[in-house]
Amino acid sequence: MFEKQLSHHIFKTVSEESGRLGYKTYVVGGYVRDIYLKRHSKDVDFVTVGSGIALASAVQKRLKGSHLSVFKNFGTAQIKTDEWEFEFVGARKESYDRSSRNPKVEDGSFEDDIHRRDFTINTLAISLTPENYGELIDIFGGLKDLHQGVIRTPLDPQITFSDDPLRMMRAARFATQLNFKIEDKTYQALIKESHRLAIISQERITDELNKIILAKQPSVGFKILFNTKLLHQFFPELVKLYGVEIREGKSHKDNFYHTLQVLDQTCEKTGDLWVRWAAILHDIAKPPTKRFVPGEGWTFHGHEDKGSRMVKPIFRRLKLPLGEDMRKVTNLVKLHLRPIALTKECITDSAVRRLIFDAGEDLEDLILLCKSDITTKNKAKEVRFLANLINVEQNIATVEERDRIRNWQPPIDGQEIMNLFGIGPSREIGEIKSALKEAILDGKITNKYDEALLFVLEKGKQLGLQKQ
Ligand code: CTP
């Protein structure tokens, strides 16, 4: 069995070196699972009943062009080649203390090791022992669960989750990536134990969350996280989007489900994690800006501005990177209503220019987000909204080609203005600079040096400055 999957010569080498050391060794976990899912993984985990470090050292000596790293504290070793990563660990028995993240680890049998794993689909193993080389070992019915699309813990789920609460996030993640159902008892335990996520570091939680977001249909995972209250543990702002209020017979849409639909629609168009994050956060300030205006209905004025200001604190708390990626998310949230405002008739070129200037390099992603933000169930409306946005795109293309405004800087910069009038940084210089930018964006003058120079000289004169 598994001739193709075990064709890399490392498997034979591991088998031979194990025999020499008197160990029994198995391929376990994700690599075996992924064989059945037809995903070609290049990460292989070996469990040996003996020392993982001793086995890895012996194997590495026979593997040309490979590199060995030993993690003495964890009793593990890793061999890397250009393409592959092989992890070696001795079979372990782990017991956990409910208040701590760090398990007590002792040597154990192969069965002990398999028992302490997260889901049945991850308990499959392939023997590398000569007597039954290539045989599948399936203690917990993992193969059946793989075929039926079920996420189930091998032991009582409360024990498995209590041993390592991160596994609750992993359950939602695997269900989303593989489009599997979480078995009922396992699901009930997620609800019961969700509060225990509190002992897990935010980095690890966010890692799993990002894997959900990068899946084909992240709404699947977000619904699991919401319904089990896992989401409530680390993302209260998103939870607050849930629900509909009715007053004077007027209601608003459920912004939680709307957001999930926008996210899925964004994912149909881009694999970019940060554009996907912008979809998650685009309406995040709707709850804090919600007002009921009698006779009119619900309003969320300023939610795009307030939302853009919420991005940084959320990123900081979730331990997401605070650099360029966050800047992009902030900009997309802030501008997400602007293209729609441009769908009205008789829009001036100047409004289009301003959007091109403000969106800069995020313009295409912004339009993509706006298209994904259409969630009306009325087909005629959907077609109309989309046509409007396509029209905006065309306007943008026309103005762009003519004015070359993107990533644009005025043709005369602050230094040159200071030289012209022979003064240093001052209020006047700031005023001239911003008047020049506005004049070009408004189309009062064109984006050319000569016109800009005349404008600057005139403006300086008005402010009482003399050309040097
Ligand atoms: N595992 C576990 N509990 C965890 C993490 C991992 O029981 N909290 C076990 C699972 O048996 C898993 C194996 O360790 O298959 C390897 O874990 P990892 O490499 O993180 O995940 P994979 O299952 O390989 O999946 P992926 O590569 O998609 O993360």
Side-chain angles (χ1 to χ4, degrees):
M1 260 173 101
F2 305 116
E3 260 156 50
K4 203 170 116 231
Q5 290 80 14
L6 301 186
S7 62
H8 193 294
H9 57 283
I10 192 162
F11 296 102
K12 272 272 176 260
T13 310
V14 169
S15 177
E16 286 164 17
E17 291 304 322
S18 296
R20 210 159 286 156
L21 288 163
Y23 300 165
K24 285 189 170 172
T25 303
Y26 305 83
V27 184
V28 293
Y31 186 73
V32 187
R33 179 197 67 218
D34 287 348
I35 291 174
Y36 289 97
L37 294 172
K38 305 207 166 22
R39 301 199 299 191
H40 302 289
S41 165
K42 299 269 181 196
D43 291 348
V44 188
D45 293 310
F46 296 100
V47 163
T48 189
V49 187
S51 158
I53 296 175
L55 178 60
S57 312
V59 170
Q60 193 264 333
K61 290 195 184 91
R62 292 179 52 188
L63 214 62
K64 278 198 200 103
S66 68
H67 178 79
L68 176 74
S69 314
V70 172
F71 308 97
K72 268 217 178 98
N73 292 348
F74 298 98
T76 65
Q78 183 191 56
I79 300 178
K80 266 194 183 177
T81 71
D82 287 346
E83 272 189 280
W84 294 75
E85 265 184 51
F86 304 106
E87 300 277 345
F88 292 78
V89 61
R92 294 189 280 201
K93 197 179 181 162
E94 287 181 9
S95 52
Y96 294 78
D97 176 344
R98 269 184 84 85
S99 64
S100 149
R101 275 159 266 201
N102 304 320
K104 237 184 23 227
V105 183
E106 308 161 57
D107 289 346
S109 65
F110 167 67
E111 283 75 18
D112 287 333
D113 196 281
I114 289 298
H115 275 73
R116 68 172 185 87
R117 289 177 182 268
D118 52 1
F119 304 111
T120 57
I121 59 167
N122 290 336
T123 61
L124 296 170
I126 298 173
S127 169
L128 296 181
T129 309
E131 304 89 72
N132 60 345
Y133 186 90
E135 189 183 301
L136 180 75
I137 303 169
D138 181 7
I139 300 175
F140 292 105
L143 200 53
K144 188 167 161 233
D145 284 345
L146 255 186
H147 288 315
Q148 296 187 342
V150 174
I151 304 291
R152 179 203 316 270
T153 56
L155 305 179
D156 178 337
Q158 239 161 304
I159 297 174
T160 303
F161 291 151
S162 159
D163 280 354
D164 179 0
L166 181 73
R167 290 169 171 168
M168 297 189 282
M169 289 297 295
R170 284 171 62 90
R173 189 256 286 188
F174 282 121
T176 315
Q177 282 181 329
L178 305 176
N179 202 13
F180 278 22
K181 289 272 161 295
I182 300 176
E183 173 265 342
D184 193 49
K185 230 175 124 195
T186 305
Y187 190 84
Q188 294 308 320
L190 287 179
I191 298 174
K192 221 164 162 189
E193 296 287 308
S194 58
H195 64 281
R196 300 213 63 236
L197 205 59
I199 66 163
I200 299 297
S201 76
Q202 188 55 53
E203 286 84 349
R204 295 179 77 207
I205 294 173
T206 297
D207 250 16
E208 292 297 330
L209 186 67
N210 279 340
K211 286 184 185 175
I212 291 175
I213 296 169
L214 285 171
K216 199 165 160 222
Q217 205 186 337
S219 63
V220 172
F222 276 96
K223 284 178 193 165
I224 296 169
L225 295 177
F226 178 77
N227 291 327
T228 55
K229 295 209 162 53
L230 282 162
L231 194 64
H232 302 52
Q233 310 301 314
F234 61 91
F235 208 162
E237 299 89 344
L238 199 60
V239 173
K240 285 209 185 92
L241 291 176
Y242 174 81
V244 176
E245 215 178 314
I246 305 173
R247 249 192 246 178
E248 295 177 7
K250 289 191 196 300
S251 65
H252 59 80
K253 63 185 161 205
D254 183 312
N255 288 304
F256 181 70
Y257 291 109
H258 163 72
T259 294
L260 294 190
Q261 195 182 339
V262 176
L263 174 60
D264 282 353
Q265 292 180 171
T266 300
C267 296
E268 288 165 13
K269 303 182 187 73
T270 178
D272 186 314
L273 177 64
W274 306 109
V275 182
R276 291 176 175 208
W277 263 106
I280 295 168
L281 296 176
H282 80 287
D283 277 348
I284 201 71
K286 276 200 168 169
T289 55
K290 182 167 125 174
R291 300 272 175 282
F292 185 78
V293 183
E296 205 177 296
W298 297 98
T299 67
F300 303 91
H301 283 313
H303 76 272
E304 69 285 12
D305 259 329
K306 192 170 178 67
S308 72
R309 278 181 273 117
M310 288 169 74
V311 174
K312 192 169 185 181
I314 290 174
F315 264 50
R316 182 173 282 142
R317 197 188 67 234
L318 295 182
K319 302 277 190 270
L320 286 161
L322 302 179
E324 167 58 23
D325 301 324
M326 186 187 73
R327 183 211 57 76
K328 177 183 186 138
V329 175
T330 308
N331 206 28
L332 291 174
V333 173
K334 184 172 176 153
L335 299 178
H336 81 271
L337 297 179
R338 290 272 295 277
I340 297 152
L342 291 188
T343 60
K344 311 227 168 60
E345 273 168 43
C346 49
I347 287 300
T348 59
D349 278 3
S350 122
V352 176
R353 259 195 304 269
R354 273 178 192 284
L355 179 64
I356 299 172
F357 181 75
D358 290 342
E361 65 203 53
D362 306 322
L363 189 58
E364 279 76 20
D365 289 327
L366 180 65
I367 302 288
L368 185 157
L369 178 62
C370 288
K371 286 183 181 166
S372 309
D373 200 4
I374 303 172
T375 60
T376 171
K377 289 192 184 67
N378 177 332
K379 199 72 204 162
K381 268 193 184 172
E382 185 190 325
V383 170
R384 195 171 73 237
F385 291 164
L386 195 60
N388 284 343
L389 278 171
I390 291 171
N391 197 21
V392 170
E393 265 180 315
Q394 281 160 357
N395 280 342
I396 287 173
T398 313
V399 172
E400 267 236 277
E401 199 176 326
R402 203 180 52 222
D403 298 0
R404 308 203 177 283
I405 217 82
R406 188 140 19 159
N407 296 326
W408 162 82
Q409 290 300 326
I412 297 182
D413 66 8
Q415 187 57 52
E416 193 172 348
I417 302 173
M418 288 191 276
N419 294 345
L420 271 172
F421 297 110
I423 59 169
S426 54
R427 183 186 56 80
E428 285 84 356
I429 297 297
E431 215 171 289
I432 296 171
K433 255 177 79 179
S434 86
L436 174 62
K437 187 186 105 189
E438 295 299 313
I440 295 174
L441 287 175
D442 279 342
K444 287 187 188 137
I445 61 170
T446 67
N447 185 19
K448 298 214 178 76
Y449 184 84
D450 291 350
E451 281 189 52
L453 182 61
L454 283 176
F455 179 89
V456 166
L457 291 173
E458 179 56 34
K459 186 79 195 164
K461 209 161 118 195
Q462 283 169 19
L463 293 170
L465 300 178
Q466 296 256 312
K467 183 178 178 303
Q468 292 301 294

